Amino acid sequence: MADKITVGHVHMSGCTGCLVSFADNYEGLLTILDKYADLVYCLTLADVRHIPEMDVALVEGSVCIQDHIAVEEIIETRKNAKIVVALGACACYGNITRFARGGQQNQPQHESYLPIGDLIDVDVYIPGCAPTPQQIRNVCVMAYLLLKGNDEQKALAGAYLTPLMNLAKAGTEACGCDVMYNVINQGLCMGCGSCAAACPVRAITMVYGKPQVERDLCIKCGACYAQCPRSFFSFDVVNQYEGIIDAIDAALQP
Amino acid sequence: MVLGNYKQVIAARSTDAEILRGSQDGGIVTQLFAYALDAGIIDGAIVAGPSDEPFKPEPMVATTREELLASRGTRYSISPNMSLIKEVTRSYGLDKVGVVGTPCQIQALRKGQLYPVGLRDVPDKIALAIGIFCMENFPYQSIIQLVEDHGATALENVSKLDIGKGKFWIYTERGATVQIPLKVTHKYEQPGCHVCLDYVSNLADISTGSVGTPDGWSTVFVRSANGDDIWAKAIAAGAFETKPIDSVKPGIELVTKLATEKITKNQQYIEDRKTKFTVGKELRNPYI
């Protein structure tokens, strides 16, 4: 199809779990590749060796600043992509690579890792460790509508992606502490428990209706805060939930 | 828009005497889940179950009628039902999930379906979301304070708590009734409730509450296409007795009035957070 967008998967210091999550859309991924997107770069799946131009770069992993090839690749990615998406918690927030401190064979000087947003401008965040297949799917469909849709579809896609773009503007640090700093301490927590459900390592329990964060378990992925309905909540988007879910389902029909 | 989108609003109550015996109002939530469980529409539901402490709710996955019955009645304290929304699709193995929640919890659910950051496979497994009306909620310590101090009643002797007709009502097992003016309860409200802009669970499939209908009945909003479908089937199965909402007192006008009051007051508080707490700064506003 002529009006497909071009998408690349760029693998920095990640674990490929983000790509597996993308693949875990099963037939949905095949439909996306059939109708909406050409995968122009992905070392795991295709034999293109160098980062080409692309509409959307899905970047997973953080950047080791002692690895000059990694630094060159993230800069190259920004130059070659219209939209840079930080896919997953490592790219967004550093995640487990925040705990890296070098001293291991056979690159003991590989000790400093930064989320990609500390080296280049990032347009959209998809947090989560792993990010969910459904969130990646939604962003792909919305990115297609933003670039190729009619005016109405562009407006919807813009509204949908705005919170994920705002997360990208908000910074590169995340922690279970975010639900303390930005929700409880701000007088916004109402005890729904979303943060506890979202945490991949069960570091959050609800004690007398409020989040209790076990910070030594937290891997700094940012899922709790992003999932919290009192981090961002757009009535414009969420009030249309039926229509949006139906539209995404329809878009993914083979 | 203070009442959200809906296809119909009716007065209803369960036709099941056993459900009504322990229900807060018309037994709508328990009856709908019990029907949906029987009909295979859901294979379980996240509800506010009992806990070790009296009137302290604990989120629970109910997969039987008995478990649903055990969760009847309003607890007026925080039950973090969303905390189970992923686990219910994991170790519990449910494919068709029912969930009941306050307006904020239904908002959290819909956000989770549209932006599932840490909720893999949850979005597609939500089969029935029932919302309850909610003016505000209370931390558990507040309930102890209200019942035991202001109400001079031991919490373990209480059979039912209710907020209605401008009062906080305490009913005991031995038949005593204590009432506390709502004015007294305000300082005990959960602060996070003061930025809430939803009274009647606008984003639920079906939402229900006490206000608008006589004692023993509930006001029911049927909202989504999914909710409409399930409600029609439940009516056809004889699960509910209904009356047109304009045939009952005080009716939809009171619901609209209270919804407007809540939203107006809380919108003002959100505005105040931008100007009245700070100099050159703003407290954070989650709504974009």
Side-chain angles (χ1 to χ4, degrees):
Chain A
M1 216 180 282
D3 63 346
K4 283 158 102 176
I5 60 173
T6 54
V7 175
H9 172 261
V10 180
H11 198 301
M12 305 305 296
S13 289
C15 73
T16 330
C18 296
L19 182 62
V20 171
S21 235
F22 193 18
D24 280 348
N25 278 296
Y26 300 101
E27 301 91 331
L29 174 61
L30 300 181
T31 302
I32 288 171
L33 295 178
D34 270 348
K35 293 186 177 178
Y36 310 113
D38 279 324
L39 188 66
V40 293
Y41 176 75
C42 177
L43 289 178
T44 309
L45 298 173
D47 197 23
V48 177
R49 306 294 178 93
H50 299 287
I51 296 170
E53 293 203 352
M54 49 201 158
D55 291 322
V56 179
L58 300 169
V59 185
E60 79 165 272
S62 60
V63 184
C64 175
I65 60 172
Q66 288 90 17
D67 175 354
H68 70 93
I69 292 175
V71 173
E72 283 165 21
E73 283 193 338
I74 196 63
I75 291 169
E76 192 74 6
T77 299
R78 181 65 274 183
K79 284 181 182 158
N80 287 0
K82 286 199 188 83
I83 299 173
V84 171
V85 179
L87 174 61
C90 291
C92 296
Y93 297 120
N95 199 39
I96 198 73
T97 67
R98 285 288 185 193
F99 298 87
R101 55 209 60 213
Q104 290 183 306
Q105 289 304 338
N106 60 352
Q107 298 284 4
Q109 86 285 21
H110 281 193
E111 72 174 22
S112 310
Y113 291 76
L114 287 169
I116 65 170
D118 285 341
L119 288 90
I120 62 168
D121 286 328
V122 178
D123 302 298
V124 176
Y125 272 11
I126 302 180
C129 180
T132 65
Q134 294 80 18
Q135 181 65 81
I136 305 171
R137 170 196 77 187
N138 293 359
V139 168
C140 285
V141 172
M142 291 298 175
Y144 173 80
L145 292 178
L146 191 68
L147 295 173
K148 304 287 184 184
N150 60 34
D151 287 350
E152 194 185 336
Q153 289 168 326
K154 278 183 181 154
L156 173 66
Y160 177 87
L161 291 170
T162 294
L164 304 176
M165 294 161 72
N166 288 346
L167 284 181
K169 289 192 195 95
T172 58
E173 291 177 17
C175 180
C177 296
D178 297 342
V179 299
M180 295 195 275
Y181 299 146
N182 298 329
V183 186
I184 303 170
N185 295 170
Q186 283 279 337
L188 296 169
C189 179
M190 43 57 185
C192 69
S194 296
C195 52
C199 179
V201 296
R202 298 176 198 261
I204 303 181
T205 47
M206 299 300 286
V207 178
Y208 285 95
K210 297 286 153 165
Q212 175 70 34
V213 183
E214 196 67 54
R215 284 172 294 162
D216 278 354
L217 285 180
C218 171
I219 57 169
K220 296 184 177 284
C221 74
C224 50
Y225 180 66
Q227 196 67 73
C228 171
R230 293 283 170 85
S231 61
F232 64 84
F233 190 89
S234 163
F235 285 103
D236 284 350
V237 174
V238 188
N239 284 350
Q240 301 182 62
Y241 78 92
E242 271 188 283
I244 294 174
I245 289 171
D246 287 349
I248 289 172
D249 284 349
L252 290 173
Q253 290 305 306
Chain B
M1 274 304 287
V2 295
L3 301 181
N5 296 321
Y6 58 90
K7 297 181 193 299
Q8 48 171 326
V9 52
I10 47 263
R13 70 176 175 193
S14 166
T15 50
D16 186 320
E18 189 187 19
I19 287 176
L20 285 177
R21 211 169 296 136
S23 65
Q24 186 76 9
D25 297 298
I28 307 297
V29 179
T30 309
Q31 175 69 80
L32 255 182
F33 279 149
Y35 164 73
L37 205 52
D38 274 352
I41 293 166
I42 60 171
D43 38 30
I46 304 173
V47 297
S51 74
D52 296 340
E53 295 170 80
F55 283 85
K56 181 172 179 288
E58 185 69 35
M60 171 176 91
V61 179
T63 55
T64 64
R65 177 184 166 88
E66 289 64 38
E67 287 168 328
L68 288 172
L69 288 173
S71 64
R72 287 169 299 177
T74 302
R75 251 61 61 81
Y76 292 107
S77 191
I78 305 159
S79 177
N81 284 7
M82 280 296 288
S83 65
L84 286 173
I85 200 72
K86 185 161 71 179
E87 196 59 32
V88 75
T89 69
R90 301 296 198 276
S91 57
Y92 291 91
L94 303 199
D95 287 321
K96 293 174 283 184
V97 176
V99 56
V100 61
T102 51
C104 57
Q105 293 175 340
I106 304 297
Q107 288 179 345
L109 178 77
R110 298 311 186 194
K111 174 178 172 178
Q113 286 184 274
L114 291 174
Y115 297 97
V117 173
L119 301 178
R120 178 178 169 153
D121 294 352
V122 170
D124 308 332
K125 292 183 193 276
I126 305 303
L128 173 58
I130 305 178
I132 52 180
F133 301 178
C134 180
M135 189 58 88
E136 73 278 307
N137 205 348
F138 300 89
Y140 187 62
Q141 191 57 239
S142 295
I143 294 301
I144 295 175
Q145 198 84 18
L146 284 167
V147 173
E148 306 219 324
D149 184 0
H150 291 277
T153 305
L155 199 48
E156 62 263 31
N157 297 337
V158 173
S159 60
K160 181 173 179 171
L161 296 175
D162 197 22
I163 294 178
K165 305 174 185 78
K167 303 258 189 327
F168 184 96
W169 301 80
I170 304 163
Y171 300 92
T172 72
E173 301 282 1
R174 302 188 66 171
T177 304
V178 180
Q179 57 187 57
I180 303 169
L182 273 192
K183 207 175 96 183
V184 171
T185 68
H186 292 327
K187 70 175 262 198
Y188 298 106
E189 291 164 2
Q190 171 177 239
C193 296
H194 297 154
V195 299
C196 176
L197 302 175
D198 187 347
Y199 177 51
V200 286
S201 284
N202 295 353
L203 295 170
D205 289 312
I206 293 171
S207 55
T208 184
S210 163
V211 170
T213 39
D215 288 350
W217 288 74
S218 297
T219 304
V220 177
F221 290 92
V222 179
R223 297 185 179 280
S224 64
N226 180 47
D228 203 33
D229 179 45
I230 293 170
W231 185 256
K233 287 177 182 157
I235 294 292
F240 295 104
E241 187 182 348
T242 64
K243 288 182 192 171
I245 194 73
D246 46 18
S247 74
V248 301
K249 295 284 180 197
I252 198 75
E253 288 74 22
L254 183 63
V255 187
T256 308
K257 177 172 170 277
L258 293 182
T260 307
E261 281 175 15
K262 171 175 177 176
I263 291 164
T264 308
K265 178 167 80 74
N266 290 351
Q267 248 160 357
Q268 185 57 53
Y269 176 65
I270 291 167
E271 283 306 306
D272 289 349
R273 288 170 57 91
K274 292 178 186 168
T275 53
K276 297 200 176 163
F277 289 82
T278 50
V279 177
K281 295 173 188 295
E282 293 180 6
L283 296 184
R284 206 170 65 73
N285 179 0
Y287 304 122
I288 53 166

